[in-house]
Amino acid sequence: MSKIAIISQPDKGVLIDLGGCSSLTEAAHHLTSTLQISSDFWNGVNIDLNLGDLALSPDEVSQIISIAAEVGVKPAQVFASSKVTRSSLEKNAVTIGEGAPMKLPEATSEVVGAQPDDQVLSSAESEAPVEQVSSGEPSPATATDAQDTPTDLAVQSSGDDAATVAPSPEDATAAGEPPAPPAAPPAQPPQPVILYLRQTLRSGQAVSHKGHLVIIGDVNPGAEVLAEGDITVWGALRGIAHAGIGGNTRAEIRALKLQPVQLRIAHAIARSPDSPRKGYSSHSGPETARIVNGTIRISATNPD
Amino acid sequence: MSGRVIVITSGKGGVGKTTASANIGVALATTGVSVALVDMDIGLRNLDILMGLENRVVYNLVDVIEERCKLRQALVKDKRLPNLCLLPAAQTRDKTAVNADQMKTLCTELKSMFDFVIVDSPAGIESGFQNAIAGADEGVIITTPEMSAVRDADRIIGLIEARKDEIKDHRLVINRIRPQMVKTNDMMSVEDVLEILSVKLLGIVPEDEEIIISTNKGEPVSGTDNVRSGLAYRNIARRLRGEDVPFMDLDALNNTWVTKLVKFFTPVRA
């Protein structure tokens, strides 16, 4: 699991989960880099902390609290499972969280590979049925194996630098983020959380999210974006995108420039053709990929 | 069936480990044996791009080691050669995702399935390299005729010789040699390199622009005829299979029809 997770709690702001850290130094480092996204980013947001099973002395607890205070954040409540930490929190007069903190859900089951044959992306929906290409891989036998990336609001980065995170649409707008026009369709009950990410994802970076995912920037080859809902890339999608994790076959992937290595929606996989896509240029405009009759099809994005 | 695990390594980066792995893999597979290419450069994977298989990767080595999928599921079959498979590295992880014992187990399993297992090692001598050589029976060291590359190759040979109980044999490939520059004494010759390293020679690969083209196309040169670097890699593969193939005559490479024509019209002086 990641060292730090940012979890949006319905109506209760944001929970910063440091449970994955093994030491105070590590926790302090990740907390600092996360909170320093921007000084006024966390303004007005209710923030809870989860220290997991870290055992911290009163001094160490006050160190954590002062890191938060530097950027004007005062945690509303702090969760800890270690008794030592709980008594240290009491000594520092910090509100201890009642009950169990929200956790990232464990990895979703049934991810990739349920469809043995991969399909080559067709240039347009109107074209003949998608060319079936014999799979490069031996057909996956088990599809129940879980994906390791945690879902929900977790941003992973292979490096130490924490990625920029916007907790929820409300908070994002509060922080001066413009609402992205092609946001998720409103029809899906219950309303999933949308994650706005304002950065280019480079090779080796992966983002996974429980709701819809909007990336304002590019997704480069070697990067992966995964979401239970739709994926919208306001830029070029050149890496791997997996929408509808968990089996939502109505999920869509759309991008201003759709040039992915691979697209996955629910259990379907499509790979890019070996030769450049016929009739495609980078000026083709925004395109949407969705499942039509069990296979992934791409069509021009029309405002409807 | 018990195959041979051969690790391709160099110490220095950019001397052509991945290119050599892809080409030796393709060349071996062309001779009819079954080959698995293993990319151990976790976090900086390239072998899938050179093989033109990037868009077919679903599972990777780390998924196999962490038991998220079976080994058979992660193996990507080559586009042209049905007896050649690639086990890609993970891109969103780092070298610490794997340890030496896990690599040994993996290599044992691969050995039972393939005649040859070619492991592409990352640059450096740290954990990534240590993991790459963990399950190896043989080593192939790649160097270029440059002082820095030769120095690093020397260090690697030392590390490999220290494990001679496991790595029974190791041989050298000298890559990117330019016969013309060797002739004018601007580049170390094969003999110069061998004198420093005193190790068995497996092959000499001339500098070739075709390599750049093939990397971008995702089709290793050893699969194409009439490419001199491709021939060099095919010879290396034959030597790995135990054949006695004479080394390439580098002077002959200079003997193109243009140079012959020039020579023909140059007056001979007594």
Side-chain angles (χ1 to χ4, degrees):
Chain A
M1 89 174 257
S2 48
K3 301 285 185 196
I4 186 163
I6 299 159
I7 304 166
S8 71
Q9 314 177 101
D11 310 320
K12 282 192 295 181
V14 174
L15 173 75
I16 298 177
D17 188 351
L18 293 165
C21 297
S22 50
S23 67
L24 171 74
T25 12
E26 208 171 73
H29 167 75
H30 287 289
L31 185 63
T32 318
S33 53
T34 307
L35 289 177
Q36 279 172 351
I37 290 170
S38 89
S39 53
D40 57 348
F41 183 82
W42 302 99
N43 263 356
V45 183
N46 179 74
I47 289 176
D48 296 342
L49 268 184
N50 178 19
L51 296 173
D53 51 5
L54 280 177
L56 303 176
S57 70
D59 273 358
E60 291 170 329
V61 165
S62 71
Q63 227 176 304
I64 293 278
I65 299 299
S66 63
I67 289 174
E70 268 174 40
V71 284
V73 169
K74 189 180 181 300
Q77 45 181 350
V78 179
F79 296 93
S81 56
S82 146
K83 271 187 189 155
V84 187
T85 315
R86 287 175 82 93
S87 73
S88 313
L89 286 168
E90 263 170 32
K91 282 183 189 136
N92 276 287
V94 177
T95 324
I96 299 173
E98 293 290 324
M102 252 184 82
K103 277 276 170 203
L104 287 178
E106 283 306 312
T108 16
S109 62
E110 292 185 290
V111 197
V112 233
Q115 186 126 337
D117 288 328
D118 50 0
Q119 312 133 15
V120 170
L121 304 175
S122 66
S123 352
E125 207 174 345
S126 56
E127 267 194 11
V130 176
E131 183 193 347
Q132 292 282 339
V133 165
S134 66
S135 164
E137 305 79 37
S139 50
T142 48
T144 43
D145 299 342
Q147 191 88 352
D148 73 322
T149 24
T151 44
D152 209 331
L153 284 160
V155 175
Q156 292 187 311
S157 166
S158 61
D160 267 336
D161 48 325
T164 326
V165 178
S168 73
E170 296 85 9
D171 299 333
T173 22
E177 303 254 20
Q188 307 242 340
Q191 194 75 278
V193 192
I194 304 171
L195 171 67
Y196 283 87
L197 208 55
R198 255 196 149 178
Q199 77 174 110
T200 288
L201 291 170
R202 297 185 184 281
S203 183
Q205 294 176 320
V207 176
S208 66
H209 174 53
K210 216 180 169 189
H212 299 309
L213 183 55
V214 178
I215 289 160
I216 298 150
D218 295 345
V219 177
N220 284 354
E224 281 180 34
V225 282
L226 307 99
E228 279 190 11
D230 294 354
I231 293 172
T232 305
V233 179
W234 191 254
L237 171 56
R238 302 193 192 97
I240 294 176
H242 189 166
I245 289 180
N248 178 9
T249 50
R250 287 170 59 200
E252 293 179 353
I253 300 169
R254 52 186 90 76
L256 294 186
K257 289 182 187 175
L258 197 64
Q259 307 157 327
V261 166
Q262 237 177 48
L263 288 179
R264 304 174 189 162
I265 299 176
H267 309 310
I269 304 180
R271 64 170 174 81
S272 62
D274 290 321
S275 48
R277 274 171 62 193
K278 229 192 327 184
Y280 180 83
S281 82
S282 54
H283 307 294
S284 290
E287 291 179 303
T288 305
R290 59 173 74 84
I291 293 189
V292 179
N293 298 331
T295 59
I296 297 177
R297 299 293 186 88
I298 295 175
S299 56
T301 308
N302 297 316
D304 32 33
Chain B
M1 170 156 65
S2 184
R4 293 155 64 185
V5 180
I6 302 174
V7 62
I8 314 274
T9 182
S10 74
K12 189 175 180 299
V15 296
K17 281 179 299 299
T18 307
T19 312
S21 306
N23 280 294
I24 293 174
V26 168
L28 278 169
T30 328
T31 64
V33 291
S34 60
V35 182
L37 281 167
V38 182
D39 191 350
M40 271 301 289
D41 206 347
I42 302 167
L44 287 170
R45 73 171 188 210
N46 283 152
L47 194 50
D48 55 329
I49 302 173
L50 261 72
M51 298 293 297
L53 298 173
E54 188 186 13
N55 55 7
R56 287 167 168 79
V57 175
V58 176
Y59 293 111
N60 56 51
L61 187 141
V62 176
D63 289 328
V64 176
I65 278 173
E66 291 177 355
E67 290 176 359
R68 266 189 303 278
C69 71
K70 297 201 179 68
L71 175 58
R72 216 173 42 79
Q73 286 173 272
L75 290 167
V76 184
K77 210 177 268 175
D78 185 60
K79 284 187 279 191
R80 289 161 297 262
L81 299 159
N83 50 340
L84 176 64
C85 282
L86 168 73
L87 181 58
Q91 182 62 4
T92 53
R93 304 292 292 273
D94 59 36
K95 310 277 187 259
T96 54
V98 180
N99 67 39
D101 288 337
Q102 291 167 330
M103 258 317 276
K104 274 184 198 163
T105 320
L106 181 71
C107 286
T108 315
E109 201 179 343
L110 282 167
K111 257 202 283 197
S112 66
M113 297 162 70
F114 295 92
D115 298 322
F116 282 90
V117 180
I118 307 288
V119 181
D120 180 23
S121 125
I125 51 169
E126 294 81 16
S127 64
F129 163 76
Q130 298 292 350
N131 291 338
I133 63 167
D137 306 317
E138 292 165 48
V140 169
I141 300 109
I142 313 282
T143 188
T144 53
E146 290 162 82
M147 219 43 240
S148 53
V150 171
R151 191 68 54 87
D152 291 1
D154 193 42
R155 177 96 171 88
I156 290 290
I157 294 168
L159 292 171
I160 285 181
E161 278 174 350
R163 308 174 64 131
K164 57 175 173 288
D165 294 342
E166 294 148 46
I167 305 175
K168 306 257 170 358
D169 190 19
H170 58 274
R171 283 181 276 180
L172 182 77
V173 169
I174 304 176
N175 196 11
R176 307 190 65 172
I177 201 147
R178 297 183 187 204
Q180 200 56 52
M181 285 182 73
V182 173
K183 227 176 180 176
T184 53
N185 273 330
D186 290 323
M187 184 179 259
M188 291 165 85
S189 70
V190 174
E191 291 72 31
D192 295 338
V193 177
L194 287 178
E195 196 190 314
I196 299 171
L197 297 178
S198 57
V199 66
K200 278 180 281 178
L201 184 64
L202 178 65
I204 310 159
V205 183
E207 174 85 315
D208 194 349
E209 286 181 2
E210 291 288 332
I211 294 282
I212 301 170
I213 302 170
S214 85
T215 304
N216 293 337
K217 270 203 295 198
E219 291 172 8
V221 283
S222 57
T224 358
D225 293 329
N226 305 325
V227 177
R228 56 188 190 171
S229 52
L231 177 66
Y233 282 118
R234 283 200 296 277
N235 287 346
I236 289 172
R238 286 168 63 194
R239 285 181 204 118
L240 280 173
R241 290 200 63 188
E243 273 183 60
D244 192 15
V245 187
F247 289 106
M248 211 181 249
D249 182 7
L250 290 175
D251 281 336
L253 289 176
N254 290 329
N255 249 344
T256 58
W257 66 270
V258 182
T259 50
K260 276 180 192 163
L261 202 68
V262 172
K263 215 184 235 168
F264 184 77
F265 286 107
T266 315
V268 186
R269 297 216 174 112

